[in-house]
Amino acid sequence: MDLQIFIAFFIILRLRKKFKTKTAFPQWEKILLGLMFVCIALFTVQASFNFLKPLSGWIANGVVAVVLGIIYLNDEFSSERPTMFAVLPLILVSFVEDVFKLISISFYNKIHYFFEAASFFAFIWMIALLIINNKQRKALIKEQSKTHEEEQKNKFMASMKAQLEIQVAERTAELTSQKETLEEALTELKTTQAQLIQSEKLASLGELTAGIAHEIQNPLNFINNFSEVNTELIEEMKEAIAKGDSEEVLAIAADIAANEQKINHHGKRADSIVKGMLQHSRNSNGIKEPTDINKLADEYLRLAYHGLRAKDKSFNAAMKTDFDRYIPPINVIPQDIGRVILNLITNAFYAASQPSALPDDTVAANHKTPTVWVTTALIPPTEDEGTLVSLTVRDNGPGIPANIMDKIFQPFFTTKPTGQGTGLGLSMSYDIITKGHGGQLTVHTSEGTGTEFTILLPA
Amino acid sequence: MKILVVDDERDIQTLFEQRFRKEIKDKSLEFVFAFSGEDALIYLNQHEHEAVLILSDINMPGMSGLELLGHIKQKYHKPPPMVMMITAYGDAENFNMAKQLGADDFLTKPVDFTLLKEKFKLIY
């Protein structure tokens, strides 16, 4: 029967192609190739010699059995088993047919319609199974490609993740370096701020220098003058002694003693000015000590006045003081409070000598004498607060415009032309009073009338 | 001769009184003191034509010596008294200003009393 040979040939071809036996399974390739030649030989024999047909049919049955056996017994061809099951019925029918032919050809002839029908159904079965197998195979391939796709996707994601991690690391490094740069900038800023504070101190010292020179010159003049007078008096005393005028001698001696006291007084005055100057330029040691606030205010008022006076010859202003004599010494850092007082007074003198900003100001108001009032007072305790000492610095300048009122305590804010003010005076003053001494620094201003700064310190 | 000394330093009085003790004693010189420009004007208004010579400091709080000089020379006293200006700042600006306002003389601190005595002698 031709069918077995076709099927065997077809299956062998399929096996060789599918499993690439030429390269993958050389040992099977030999056998399969051999079987293939057998098939071709059988085919040729059947076509040429009709009498050899039954024998070749049995050899074909054997070849088919061997091929199917190979597929069934060897795991490497397991994926071809569905094909085996597809062809099996057809082969079995052919085999049985051959068996009947061999036993009794006449009986076979009687029932050969039955075999034809069985072959037909087996053939349909084969086709159907092959189609189903093919479909399943395609689905499997699809599934495999899907898995492969997913794997690719996963790989891609993994590589993306790695890339992201690198980016994150890069960003982190960038941010860290930025942070370091910022920290450096901050340190630099702090240093600059410290330097600015120092230069503000030096600037105020510069303002003071002329005042200090004037303040020292006066006592020195007195010291020189009184000492010259004493030299003269001693000569006169000698003359009086020679004359024996003891009354005159005693009078002169009293004068000399009085002059010595004056010399001593002015010497001390110069001394305290120099000490105050040193204290002002020195970095604050932060030690609070009992201080006469009136004396401190008076000292800095004079220094500020003479300092401005020396800088600008045409500057003149009236100073009016009203000190409360009953203020006890209060615990403050003298150089710090001195700095605040100096700052407020210098500002007040500056403001007082400014022309009024109001356009409708009368001529008389424009010709008012620039005046600065410094007032101290003891404020009795209330329910909320203990005894306070107030120090008020008032000027009759143009006042502070409303639009800059909330800025005056800000660091670096100044209304003076560039280079003339550091803009640190009031902000430093505010810090010294509030943070350094637990006090208050308040301001009241009225445009065209003047400004009043008040320091409140706990007594 | 009556001399009005104007200075905000009160010890200037003691100093002058000691320096000119002989002159005060023999009454050749008489000193009066004012401790501000305003006080000086009040004194001059109350004692017209008494002071022949005025010695004034320039740097004083309130009315400055130059303002006082202006008042004396322009608005007061005919004939006005002699005015000598004294200042710690011996600068050209103040000197010119004082001269312009009619100052008769100009002295710088520290005051040279020997020189001042010479100047007084020339006046009386």
Side-chain angles (χ1 to χ4, degrees):
Chain A
M1 183 70 198
D2 301 338
L3 201 61
Q4 283 102 318
I5 307 167
F6 268 121
I7 290 168
F9 188 80
F10 163 75
I11 292 173
I12 292 163
L13 242 162
R14 198 176 147 86
L15 281 178
R16 288 185 60 211
K17 200 178 159 195
K18 192 172 172 185
F19 296 101
K20 296 186 179 73
T21 49
K22 212 174 187 173
T23 48
F25 307 103
Q27 72 273 26
W28 288 116
E29 169 75 4
K30 265 186 200 169
I31 295 166
L32 290 174
L33 213 60
L35 286 170
M36 236 167 98
F37 281 122
V38 171
C39 287
I40 293 166
L42 285 171
F43 195 67
T44 318
V45 166
Q46 276 192 349
S48 325
F49 310 102
N50 208 26
F51 69 97
L52 283 176
K53 236 180 182 178
L55 180 68
S56 69
W58 282 108
I59 296 170
N61 281 336
V63 169
V64 168
V66 169
V67 170
L68 293 184
I70 289 170
I71 294 170
Y72 186 72
L73 295 172
N74 291 287
D75 281 341
E76 48 262 56
F77 301 120
S78 63
S79 67
E80 207 46 30
R81 275 172 202 166
T83 315
M84 191 184 85
F85 288 120
V87 297
L88 201 59
L90 196 59
I91 287 168
L92 279 175
V93 169
S94 295
F95 180 74
V96 173
E97 207 179 350
D98 283 351
V99 170
F100 272 92
K101 275 180 192 169
L102 191 70
I103 295 166
S104 165
I105 194 84
S106 59
F107 180 69
Y108 169 76
N109 283 339
K110 275 183 199 163
I111 58 161
H112 87 274
Y113 296 110
F114 172 75
F115 279 107
E116 268 173 26
S119 290
F120 177 72
F121 286 118
F123 186 75
I124 296 208
W125 161 268
M126 184 188 76
I127 299 292
L129 222 66
L130 282 178
I131 289 172
I132 290 167
N133 283 351
N134 201 34
K135 262 192 185 165
Q136 276 179 346
R137 203 169 49 85
K138 274 184 183 163
L140 194 74
I141 290 169
K142 217 175 175 184
E143 189 78 8
Q144 275 175 346
S145 81
K146 213 171 160 188
T147 316
H148 182 71
E149 219 170 78
E150 247 164 45
E151 264 170 27
Q152 290 290 102
K153 222 186 238 174
N154 284 347
K155 263 189 201 167
F156 177 70
M157 271 165 79
S159 83
M160 284 290 274
K161 200 181 147 203
Q163 214 173 319
L164 264 174
E165 259 163 25
I166 292 170
Q167 275 186 348
V168 167
E170 273 173 11
R171 288 280 155 80
T172 310
E174 218 172 277
L175 281 174
T176 311
S177 87
Q178 271 180 354
K179 187 192 132 216
E180 273 162 17
T181 317
L182 281 174
E183 268 171 2
E184 264 171 47
L186 185 71
T187 318
E188 228 168 274
L189 262 175
K190 277 183 182 164
T191 319
T192 313
Q193 193 193 25
Q195 281 169 351
L196 270 169
I197 289 170
Q198 194 56 33
S199 74
E200 163 69 24
K201 283 181 196 169
L202 288 176
S204 65
L205 185 66
E207 276 169 12
L208 282 183
T209 310
I212 288 164
H214 179 268
E215 284 294 288
I216 294 176
Q217 191 59 53
N218 274 344
L220 283 182
N221 288 342
F222 277 117
I223 290 168
N224 288 334
N225 287 330
F226 278 115
S227 131
E228 278 165 30
V229 169
N230 274 0
T231 314
E232 277 178 18
L233 285 176
I234 287 165
E235 284 308 312
E236 282 175 27
M237 196 190 218
K238 281 180 188 164
E239 283 169 26
I241 290 168
K243 276 189 216 161
D245 187 347
S246 61
E247 201 181 310
E248 176 73 355
V249 170
L250 284 175
I252 293 170
D255 280 347
I256 292 173
N259 289 351
E260 279 305 326
Q261 268 186 1
K262 296 273 177 208
I263 290 169
N264 196 247
H265 165 73
H266 288 286
K268 278 182 182 157
R269 191 176 144 193
D271 185 62
S272 79
I273 291 161
V274 172
K275 279 204 180 112
M277 182 180 77
L278 289 176
Q279 216 167 35
H280 183 81
S281 64
R282 216 177 17 224
N283 272 327
S284 168
N285 56 14
I287 293 168
K288 289 181 183 168
E289 47 191 271
T291 308
D292 182 345
I293 208 83
N294 290 341
K295 209 179 134 205
L296 198 67
D298 190 52
E299 205 173 284
Y300 276 100
L301 179 61
R302 295 178 70 89
L303 289 178
Y305 174 80
H306 290 297
L308 289 169
R309 188 64 196 241
K311 241 205 271 182
D312 175 11
K313 301 280 166 13
S314 65
F315 168 81
N316 195 38
M319 302 184 279
K320 303 232 165 106
T321 55
D322 182 9
F323 292 142
D324 185 342
R325 290 187 296 122
Y326 297 105
I327 296 175
I330 58 170
N331 255 333
V332 294
I333 305 164
Q335 57 265 55
D336 281 1
I337 296 297
R339 197 168 288 140
V340 175
I341 295 172
L342 176 72
N343 181 249
L344 294 182
I345 291 174
T346 311
N347 285 351
F349 275 129
Y350 183 83
S353 54
Q354 294 294 306
S356 176
L358 291 184
D360 59 344
D361 238 8
T362 59
V363 177
N366 270 329
H367 282 83
K368 69 192 169 191
T369 311
T371 309
V372 171
W373 292 264
V374 180
T375 314
T376 59
L378 197 62
I379 300 170
T382 61
E383 279 174 25
D384 305 322
E385 277 170 306
T387 311
L388 294 174
V389 169
S390 79
L391 187 146
T392 304
V393 179
R394 182 159 68 90
D395 65 65
N396 59 350
I400 302 168
N403 60 332
I404 61 162
M405 261 301 272
D406 54 345
K407 295 196 192 113
I408 59 168
F409 291 115
Q410 285 174 9
F412 306 114
F413 179 78
T414 180
T415 57
K416 289 181 184 169
T418 312
Q420 287 192 24
T422 59
L424 284 174
L426 274 180
S427 76
M428 271 173 64
S429 296
Y430 190 81
D431 280 357
I432 288 170
I433 298 298
T434 57
K435 288 185 197 157
H437 291 83
Q440 299 163 48
L441 179 59
T442 56
V443 55
H444 293 284
T445 189
S446 142
E447 279 193 70
T449 312
T451 305
E452 184 179 285
F453 281 91
T454 303
I455 301 170
L456 286 175
L457 291 169
Chain B
M1 180 173 75
K2 200 177 217 172
I3 299 165
L4 171 64
V5 180
V6 189
D7 200 312
D8 60 323
E9 293 272 3
R10 287 179 181 266
D11 276 352
I12 209 86
Q13 180 169 1
T14 323
L15 186 66
F16 270 76
E17 281 168 359
Q18 302 246 347
R19 272 285 170 167
F20 295 99
R21 49 190 279 119
K22 278 186 199 161
E23 289 81 356
I24 293 167
K25 224 175 184 178
D26 60 29
K27 305 228 170 130
S28 60
L29 288 177
E30 192 189 336
F31 286 96
V32 278
F33 297 90
F35 302 112
S36 72
E38 290 86 345
D39 287 351
L41 281 185
I42 291 166
Y43 178 86
L44 287 173
N45 281 337
Q46 286 167 354
H47 308 84
E48 227 170 326
H49 291 293
E50 274 186 19
V52 180
L53 177 65
I54 295 163
L55 269 174
S56 176
D57 186 19
I58 287 183
N59 287 296
M60 290 181 292
M63 184 187 286
S64 76
L66 291 175
E67 281 176 70
L68 175 66
L69 173 66
H71 275 287
I72 294 167
K73 289 291 182 183
Q74 284 160 26
K75 294 174 188 167
Y76 282 81
H77 308 288
K78 287 178 181 174
M82 282 189 75
V83 181
M84 277 191 194
M85 301 306 294
I86 308 169
T87 180
Y89 311 113
D91 61 297
E93 203 181 310
N94 266 340
F95 179 83
N96 291 336
M97 192 72 175
K99 280 282 173 200
Q100 206 183 315
L101 287 168
D104 297 279
D105 213 334
F106 198 84
L107 295 168
T108 52
K109 282 184 178 178
V111 176
D112 183 343
F113 281 91
T114 324
L115 185 73
L116 191 59
K117 272 183 195 174
E118 297 286 317
K119 286 185 189 268
F120 285 167
K121 270 180 195 161
L122 286 176
I123 296 164
Y124 63 84

